[in-house]
Amino acid sequence: MSAAGVVLMLGGAGILPAAGPARAAEVAYDTECLPPPISGLPPVRGTTKALITAPAEAKVGDEVEIVWKTVEAASRNPDVLDLGEDTVKPTGTITLGGAASGTLTVTGPRQNPPIPKNSPMVLPDMKGRLKLEKAGEITLTPGAYTINVSKPLSTDTKCTPKETPAAGATIRVSADGGSSGGTSAAGGTSTSGGSGSSGGTTTSGGTTTSGGSTGGGGQTDFTGKEVAVRFSCRSPGPATIASKVTVDARRNGGSFDLTVRTAKGVMDSPAPLPAGALKPSMAIGIGGADSGTVTVTGPANSAPLEQGKPVDLPDMKGTYRPGASGRSTLTPGALTISVSLGGSPIVIPCRVEGAVEASLELDTTRQEGGAAGGGGAAAGGGSGGLAATGAEDEGALRALALVAGTVILLGGAVFTLTPWARLRR
């Protein structure tokens, strides 16, 4: 079966009219949501209720709109902060089946009514567009979704199914008006088509399917796939960083020693820095059978850095101790750059923009004290959801909210008085 090409285009412009009425069926499934790694809170379990709508009938060559309406999110806004109007933005993943395979990313606008403390999360509808290039029936199944909250800090809550959801909609695709040579992406978004074998395959448009190398048997070293990541950083760092990232692993008993590599010259040094001043770390997201994050850290720069010259980040290393048995994925996450100049370090958090493919898939065996949703060692500046946790023990989250508010109020003064500012003079 050929991989399905999926293209996400926000808004509704250019959508072809459907040949039949829309089909919709509410789907409910057990879901686990991960709170912010920096909160130290455990995962939250709840039920997601999603309504998927799509044309009942279409033709090969049509590009149709798919809509995900979240009837009920898996958790509530805890009794910590009132969420303001238009601060919540969801992104979801729909699995394609039948005459197509792969995934479709759907995105909602940052649009919501005020959400008081201890009340249900209200999410806007998510939409995406799917180009149909093969006749047959295509099923659409809701799956994982991410809730981004922009204030008081920009954070992501990642929610994943803990059971296999039922299909939410079906499209009957006829061969009229088009070829049946398989479904391909108009713009080249990634599909999951592979089974996790090393390297994956390549879809039309030049992107590589998720998969990476699998751990198993007597194999010791596992080479990950190079994946593209775009980071959005806070001042005084660069506005954005775009890089290719690779996650490699070496089996060490029941655990894995990780090595994370980035492309050369990922950023320009904003100031002249002495040797030993700049140090990177990254939060590696764990998915599949396992969940949580693992922090990998690189050594400080060995040579002085010139202002305006490209900076090569060193390889970052850490240890992944599995918390579950099965196939687990490792995906590049939030990047943190720490600059130390003798006093308190200047921390530059860089969060991931958009969806990122897994770099590596491993066969794992549960280890005592392993990840299993606990998040491993959380990286500073990592992403996670502030508002959609619903956890009962909210002391740490309350403290986080207080600190967040203080940072917002004092942030301008802090950055004005840091050694970084003095470096730029």
Side-chain angles (χ1 to χ4, degrees):
M1 181 181 297
S2 62
V6 177
V7 59
L8 170 65
M9 299 178 65
L10 300 180
I15 300 172
L16 295 180
R23 285 184 176 180
E26 184 177 303
V27 177
Y29 54 97
D30 185 25
T31 307
E32 181 178 74
C33 297
L34 296 180
I38 55 176
S39 74
L41 297 176
V44 176
R45 293 287 283 266
T47 300
T48 297
K49 295 181 180 179
L51 186 69
I52 305 298
T53 58
E57 298 177 351
K59 301 187 301 295
V60 170
D62 285 356
E63 193 168 81
V64 298
E65 182 178 70
I66 313 298
V67 180
W68 172 332
K69 179 180 179 62
T70 304
V71 179
E72 182 179 311
S75 57
R76 300 166 65 87
N77 180 26
D79 187 20
V80 178
L81 294 170
D82 293 329
L83 296 180
E85 184 176 3
D86 298 342
T87 59
V88 175
K89 179 183 177 70
T91 303
T93 301
I94 294 176
T95 301
L96 309 178
S101 63
T103 58
L104 170 69
T105 300
V106 289
T107 301
R110 193 173 298 282
Q111 181 179 338
N112 62 279
I115 305 175
K117 305 171 187 175
N118 196 30
S119 64
M121 291 295 293
V122 181
L123 304 180
D125 292 351
M126 297 177 279
K127 299 180 180 181
R129 291 173 63 186
L130 175 65
K131 187 172 183 179
L132 310 173
E133 295 189 6
K134 186 177 180 180
E137 288 197 347
I138 297 176
T139 58
L140 305 166
T141 303
Y145 57 98
T146 297
I147 303 172
N148 176 266
V149 177
S150 61
K151 295 179 181 179
L153 295 173
S154 180
T155 56
D156 290 329
T157 293
K158 295 188 177 182
C159 299
T160 55
K162 302 309 289 183
E163 61 178 330
T164 302
T170 301
I171 306 173
R172 290 195 298 269
V173 183
S174 65
D176 297 341
S179 65
S180 59
T183 305
S184 62
T189 58
S190 301
T191 63
S192 62
S195 61
S197 60
S198 65
T201 57
T202 301
T203 63
S204 62
T207 57
T208 306
T209 60
S210 63
S213 304
T214 24
Q219 189 175 353
T220 301
D221 295 315
F222 310 98
T223 302
K225 177 178 56 178
E226 188 179 68
V227 295
V229 187
R230 184 177 179 85
F231 300 96
S232 176
C233 304
R234 290 188 182 172
S235 176
T240 59
I241 293 176
S243 178
K244 296 292 182 68
V245 181
T246 305
V247 181
D248 296 334
R250 169 171 288 185
R251 189 185 300 278
N252 184 356
S255 300
F256 296 88
D257 294 331
L258 304 183
T259 298
V260 177
R261 295 176 283 114
T262 61
K264 300 295 184 181
V266 296
M267 59 178 283
D268 292 338
S269 179
L273 297 175
L278 186 147
K279 187 175 183 179
S281 62
M282 184 179 289
I284 302 300
I286 307 168
D290 204 356
S291 60
T293 57
V294 173
T295 298
V296 292
T297 304
N301 56 303
S302 59
L305 302 175
E306 298 182 41
Q307 182 172 358
K309 294 297 181 66
V311 176
D312 296 340
L313 297 183
D315 291 352
M316 293 169 276
K317 298 181 182 293
T319 299
Y320 165 42
R321 182 184 295 273
S325 299
R327 287 177 177 265
S328 301
T329 58
L330 300 175
T331 303
L335 172 68
T336 300
I337 299 171
S338 177
V339 179
S340 180
L341 298 166
S344 298
I346 303 166
V347 177
I348 302 170
C350 300
R351 66 182 182 88
V352 174
E353 290 186 353
V356 179
E357 289 184 87
S359 175
L360 187 64
E361 186 177 55
L362 299 167
D363 287 333
T364 57
T365 302
R366 182 183 180 277
Q367 304 294 306
E368 190 67 29
S383 63
L386 174 62
T389 63
E392 294 181 2
D393 181 10
E394 294 165 351
L397 195 55
R398 289 180 184 276
L400 174 64
L402 179 61
V403 171
T406 303
V407 168
I408 289 173
L409 291 174
L410 301 180
V414 170
F415 284 132
T416 300
L417 298 175
T418 54
W420 194 278
R422 291 198 295 272
L423 277 172
R424 288 175 166 169
R425 295 175 184 171

